[in-house]
Amino acid sequence: MADLFADDPPQSSAAEPAVDAPLADRLRPRDLSEVIGQEHLTGADGAIGRMVGAGRLSSMILWGPPGTGKTSIARLLAAEVGMRYEAVSAVFSGVADLKKAFAAAEQAQKAGQRTLLFVDEIHRFNRAQQDGFLPFVERGLVTLVGATTENPSFELNAALLSRAQVLILHRLDAEALGKLLARAEALEGALPVTDAARDALVASADGDGRFLLNQAETLYGSQIEKPLDPAALGQFLQRRVAVYDKDREGHYNLISALHKAVRGSDPQAALYYMARMLVAGEEPLFVARRLIRMAVEDIGLADPQALNQCMAAKDAYQFLGSPEGELALVQACLYVATAPKSNAVYKAQKSAFKSARDTGSLMPPMNIVNAPTKLMKDIGYGAGYTYDHNAEEGFSGDNYWPEEMDPQTYYEPVERGFEREIAKRIEYWNKLRADRG
């Protein structure tokens, strides 16, 4: 879920929308009880509900997708507890605007009035600017309410986060969006769409209440005579582009979901998340690189063909381009998702690399070191080396570990897929080695 109008321009909490204002503004909630979809925060037992009940607010960061009510909640909070409402946007404001806001808050404090400072898109302020809020928050000059669509853990200073409670707003689900449309229809009349088209309209909003109301307003203003079905609605309204910033949290969430669905051997879910990424504009070769990583990290020698499939998919995409080449990525995705899984190679790499770091530059045993010169041969380099192809069964059983180091076991194949056969091979060589002493 989520609240209605998250990213509206700052305005006074007492301002009434004009008669010809956008539909979203005219439907703006008048108190917290009218906020749709954020009951986990605004209800009596929610964090915001408890603050309002106590009549005292602490600084907070409202984190949620666009169109979920961050701005509306901040505006209503000030009215609920009788605070002065001051708003700035990190997109349009600079240091001079912040100084003015703090100066106004200081004057208000002298008059006995507390100030709620709402900072929209707070993550867009740089680290130094974020630090600039700290002294004013610490001395209680302002109660800071920041709004962000980005993960605060990545985008906000730790010092700022330690002084503010992070509250998560949910995207609006279908039920909440349906309630929002019902409010619009109570004000403007029935939408000129069929029931199926209404469902499609809600789905197209992707959890964004403001977007949904903007689309509804377009329909109301177009003098449509016959209700539109889903196909006609799709042609009439522009298609909504999926929310996906390649360097932001959404990017990492989807690639994480894809990787975990592959690791969990769910080809349907894996294909869905890969489609989400590609439809939203992700670079297909990035997806190919991630599939290759999955092939070696989560499958490895349980199915050596997985790496071949992914490399071939990468080559096919580079040769064909979009959209034809994306079919090769789909094939690779389905292959790795359905392949037997093993992280034995991955664990072996981690263990071997740690061992290499821990043991430093131990000398290999003399029998297997290189002896390119006569002097090196004279002092024992390569002495006693057994050429395995000349040994019985092509196996000498020699020791290949440094004298100061016991033999290690890094790679332990699992009893799945081709690694079951590899385990038999290792057992065979180990038995021969034991027999040879």
Side-chain angles (χ1 to χ4, degrees), residues 7-24:
D7 304 311
D8 310 321
Q11 67 179 44
S12 166
S13 60
E16 290 292 332
V19 176
D20 59 350
L23 179 61

Side-chain angles (χ1 to χ4, degrees), residues 330-346:
V330 169
Q331 176 174 314
C333 177
L334 294 174
Y335 192 97
V336 294
T338 55
K341 302 301 187 296
S342 169
N343 68 342
V345 170
Y346 177 71

Side-chain angles (χ1 to χ4, degrees), residues 38-43 45-50 62 73 167-169:
Q38 303 303 334
E39 291 81 6
H40 66 292
L41 295 177
T42 60
D45 295 328
I48 289 175
R50 290 197 302 270
L62 301 177
I73 286 177
L167 303 180
I168 301 173
L169 283 77

Side-chain angles (χ1 to χ4, degrees), residues 84-389:
R84 174 178 168 274
Y85 179 74
E86 179 88 24
V88 296
S89 169
V91 177
F92 302 109
S93 304
V95 174
D97 300 287
L98 292 176
K99 287 181 178 179
K100 288 180 183 178
F102 292 133
E106 197 152 17
Q107 290 299 317
Q109 188 181 57
K110 292 177 181 178
Q113 192 172 23
R114 296 174 297 157
T115 296
L116 184 153
L117 177 62
F118 175 64
V119 183
D120 198 15
E121 303 285 346
I122 191 171
H123 63 276
R124 293 182 181 269
F125 279 128
N126 62 38
R127 301 286 175 171
Q129 290 170 321
Q130 291 178 28
D131 283 340
F133 290 105
L134 299 179
F136 302 101
V137 172
E138 287 175 343
R139 63 187 242 228
L141 180 63
V142 297
T143 296
L144 176 67
V145 177
T148 179
T149 57
E150 302 298 335
N151 191 326
S153 301
F154 302 144
E155 303 296 337
L156 299 184
N157 286 0
L160 185 59
L161 286 176
S162 70
R163 293 161 175 81
Q165 184 177 2
V166 175
L167 303 180
I168 301 173
L169 283 77
H170 299 158
R171 69 189 296 276
L172 286 171
D173 65 7
E175 180 182 358
L177 290 169
K179 290 179 181 178
L180 185 54
L181 272 189
R183 288 187 185 178
E185 290 182 308
L187 183 65
E188 298 287 321
L191 282 166
V193 294
T194 64
D195 290 343
R198 180 191 175 91
D199 292 341
L201 183 64
V202 167
S204 74
D206 195 23
D208 185 332
R210 174 170 284 281
F211 179 85
L212 178 66
L213 291 180
N214 288 344
Q215 296 289 63
E217 189 164 31
T218 299
L219 290 168
Y220 281 130
S222 299
Q223 297 181 341
I224 297 170
E225 297 180 0
K226 182 181 178 182
L228 302 176
D229 61 17
L233 179 68
Q235 292 178 348
F236 181 80
L237 296 175
Q238 65 181 30
R239 176 179 173 273
R240 179 175 174 80
V241 178
V243 177
Y244 186 79
D245 294 322
K246 296 180 186 178
D247 62 342
R248 302 291 184 178
E249 189 197 12
H251 164 86
Y252 297 106
N253 283 345
L254 287 183
I255 195 59
S256 175
L258 170 60
H259 198 147
K260 290 178 174 65
V262 166
R263 181 180 294 152
S265 300
D266 189 331
Q268 317 303 340
L271 187 55
Y272 167 72
Y273 288 117
M274 190 177 80
R276 282 272 303 274
M277 297 177 74
L278 294 175
V279 167
E282 180 57 79
E283 169 56 49
L285 285 177
F286 171 79
V287 177
R289 286 193 294 272
R290 297 303 303 185
L291 291 173
I292 292 169
R293 170 70 185 190
M294 296 170 206
V296 292
E297 178 179 341
D298 294 294
I299 298 168
L301 291 171
D303 186 348
Q305 285 301 314
L307 180 58
N308 293 339
Q309 283 280 337
C310 292
M311 292 299 295
K314 183 266 294 182
D315 292 341
Y317 179 81
Q318 288 181 316
F319 181 66
L320 294 173
S322 291
E324 294 89 347
E326 289 166 4
L327 186 58
L329 298 181
V330 169
Q331 176 174 314
C333 177
L334 294 174
Y335 192 97
V336 294
T338 55
K341 302 301 187 296
S342 169
N343 68 342
V345 170
Y346 177 71
K347 291 168 65 177
Q349 181 218 6
K350 295 292 185 184
S351 298
F353 278 38
K354 181 181 185 301
S355 187
R357 286 190 292 269
D358 292 345
T359 56
S361 52
L362 295 181
M363 186 75 169
M366 294 297 284
N367 64 316
I368 62 170
V369 296
N370 190 31
T373 69
K374 182 177 183 300
L375 173 63
M376 296 172 78
K377 291 178 181 177
D378 290 344
I379 61 176
Y381 278 49
Y385 171 64
T386 303
Y387 187 55
D388 285 82
H389 293 291

